[in-house]
Amino acid sequence: MSSIQTQFLDLTAHNARYDAIDPNTTLKGSAEGKIVFIAGASKGIGQATAIAFAEAGVKAVYLTARTATALIETLALVQKANPNTQCAYAVCDVTDAAQVEAAVNDCVAKFGAIDVADANAGYLGPWVKIGESDPNGWWRNWEVNVKGSYHVIRFALPHLIKSAEKWAAEGKSGGHLILISSIGAQFVMPGASDYQTSKHAINRLCEFVQSDHDEDGIKCFAVHPGGVATDLGHSMPEHMHEYLVDDPNLAASFAVWLCSSAGDWAKGRYLSANWDVGELGAMESEIVQDDLLVNRLRVRS
């Protein structure tokens, strides 16, 4: 078996929403009473995630992105999906700590809590070799993908901890944190040093969140959302576009599934939205016992 094959689970792959993770059927009502904060919610996967949580009966969704007009469009789609879901938004650049903190505080002021935080904002610049790269452009990937995710983590965590305590007292699960990773985190592809190393860092950051806050009831996941034909996806070289075959509703519904408590056992790990959740769940004992789906140095025994 090649080194690439050993980094992925051999599970049935899905490209679109399916029954086990459908917020309109199987997961209907699973998000009732919860408040969801989404960074990068103006379009694509973030927008689909906001709608999916509304379909699952979430109490409120708080949306952030850099463009007000796009956020207003997402807000309208959320309210169409579920008129009972409250919704608010803030223009916010995740690379600015003060803006993220203000948005988190506004969410709590409006809705009283944050039960789920989704760090969905991302960036992918041109693929060029390191020796030909623009220093500012190279670092921009880290500014958005890692620093931006850190800001969401840092300011949402105190509220997620309170959420975990509250829902645990009711015999339920709260305090969920989703970090958007990428299958690219597991590859070394020429020209992708900025993006792929930033996503590899997201996987380890997820592990650190879990290590630091597992006793607080936090459930953190680093999620590959699939190959989605978003603006970011189309920033990849053209020959890679053939892999952009996944519907944004796949990752959105997978996020709802994770936050329903069904995936709590997989906290602190890298997961792919493409993986069949039934087959994934059947591997729970093996994954936990052998500490799989985490970043580790492979050496000979």
Side-chain angles (χ1 to χ4, degrees), residues 184-242:
Q186 318 301 346
F187 290 112
V188 178
M189 303 186 73
S193 63
D194 44 10
Y195 181 75
Q196 292 188 343
T197 55
S198 73
K199 291 302 185 179
H200 194 73
I202 285 294
N203 294 354
R204 181 49 64 88
L205 183 58
C206 171
E207 294 176 41
F208 268 106
V209 171
Q210 202 60 54
S211 175
D212 287 351
H213 295 284
D214 186 71
E215 63 182 14
D216 297 319
I218 296 300
K219 279 75 70 173
C220 185
F221 310 94
V223 176
H224 166 54
V228 183
T230 59
D231 291 343
L232 186 149
H234 280 121
S235 296
M236 296 192 302
E238 189 170 349
H239 72 273
M240 299 290 292
H241 293 182
E242 65 179 290

Side-chain angles (χ1 to χ4, degrees), residues 9 11 173 176 210 214 217-221 254 257-272 275-294:
L9 299 181
L11 304 178
S173 181
H176 293 91
Q210 202 60 54
D214 186 71
I218 296 300
K219 279 75 70 173
C220 185
F221 310 94
F254 187 73
W257 178 82
L258 283 175
C259 298
S260 72
S261 80
D264 284 2
W265 62 269
K267 59 189 178 181
R269 304 179 191 281
Y270 165 89
L271 303 168
S272 172
W275 292 342
D276 181 87
V277 296
E279 296 175 17
L280 179 65
M283 294 186 65
E284 175 181 349
S285 295
E286 178 185 355
I287 290 169
V288 174
Q289 180 177 330
D290 295 341
D291 201 21
L292 306 181
L293 308 181
V294 291

Side-chain angles (χ1 to χ4, degrees), residues 74-136:
T74 300
L75 185 149
L77 292 171
V78 167
Q79 294 179 330
K80 180 179 179 181
N82 185 350
N84 294 320
T85 293
Q86 302 174 63
C87 194
Y89 71 88
V91 175
C92 174
D93 184 338
V94 293
T95 67
D96 188 314
Q99 290 186 32
V100 177
E101 182 177 23
V104 166
N105 290 341
D106 188 49
C107 176
V108 175
K110 283 184 167 67
F111 303 129
I114 296 177
D115 301 298
V116 175
D118 183 357
N120 185 79
Y123 176 78
L124 170 62
W127 283 25
V128 293
K129 293 182 179 180
I130 295 175
E132 302 168 3
S133 62
D134 169 64
N136 291 328

Side-chain angles (χ1 to χ4, degrees), residues 56-73:
V58 76
K59 178 181 178 181
V61 180
Y62 193 93
L63 314 166
T64 79
R66 293 184 300 162
T67 307
T69 53
L71 285 168
I72 293 170
E73 177 184 340

